[in-house]
Amino acid sequence: NFEKPADAIEYRQSAFGLIAYNFGDMGAMLKGKKPFDASVFSSRADNVAALSKIPHEGFIDGTDTGDTEALAKIWQDKADFDSKMTAFQDNAAALAVAAKSSDQNQIKQAFANTGKSCKGCHDVYKKD
Ligand code: ASC
């Protein structure tokens, strides 16, 4: 268990930062901002799939204040938040599978689904 609320906040933020970096690099490849490297893309997708399972544990009660962009609404609608987090994890797992195929359309679709999971949750539960 976390010793103090700030530790839980830092824990989840650390994972989100790593997710953003890995996901952002995948986006750069898909948008042609850098060459597509199937092996790098796949390991980034594996990273995101593993990292997607980390943040949820940090959303403990009493962590809607302090150095966080998390809105109190998370804890008011916890079941919906939880299901959105699970959907993100499922999409990230599917993206990791798609990344091992050579089907660019499948990869792009799986990437878009995962991005929608990020945004869908941020729109409702994250300060802008
Ligand atoms: C990112 C990032 C997000 C998501 C989101 C997807 O790279 O940092 O929060 O993608 O913008 O729509």
Side-chain angles (χ1 to χ4, degrees):
N1 286 4
F2 299 104
E3 230 172 90
K4 43 186 183 353
D7 292 346
I9 291 171
E10 189 184 349
Y11 182 81
R12 70 199 190 211
Q13 287 176 346
S14 301
F16 282 133
L18 294 168
I19 290 167
Y21 182 84
N22 281 273
F23 194 70
D25 195 58
M26 295 165 80
M29 283 188 230
L30 291 182
K31 284 173 201 142
K33 288 180 184 163
K34 63 191 288 186
F36 185 83
D37 182 323
S39 148
V40 172
F41 189 93
S42 178
S43 60
R44 297 228 175 276
D46 287 342
N47 289 346
V48 172
L51 288 162
S52 71
K53 296 178 188 151
I54 302 285
H56 187 263
E57 190 183 355
F59 286 92
I60 55 171
D61 287 348
T63 57
D64 59 328
T65 54
D67 188 11
T68 180
E69 295 175 289
L71 295 174
K73 189 173 165 58
I74 290 169
W75 292 274
Q76 287 150 15
D77 297 335
K78 196 60 169 42
D80 178 67
F81 177 80
D82 292 348
S83 78
K84 283 184 162 63
M85 189 66 94
T86 301
F88 165 53
Q89 292 163 357
D90 291 346
N91 282 142
L95 176 55
V97 172
K100 282 159 192 67
S101 80
S102 51
D103 183 341
Q104 205 69 6
N105 287 332
Q106 194 195 325
I107 290 171
K108 283 183 175 159
Q109 187 58 60
F111 180 84
N113 290 343
T114 306
K116 276 180 206 155
S117 286
C118 301
K119 185 172 171 5
C121 207
H122 292 168
D123 285 350
V124 190
Y125 295 115
K126 186 176 178 241
K127 263 174 228 168
D128 26 52

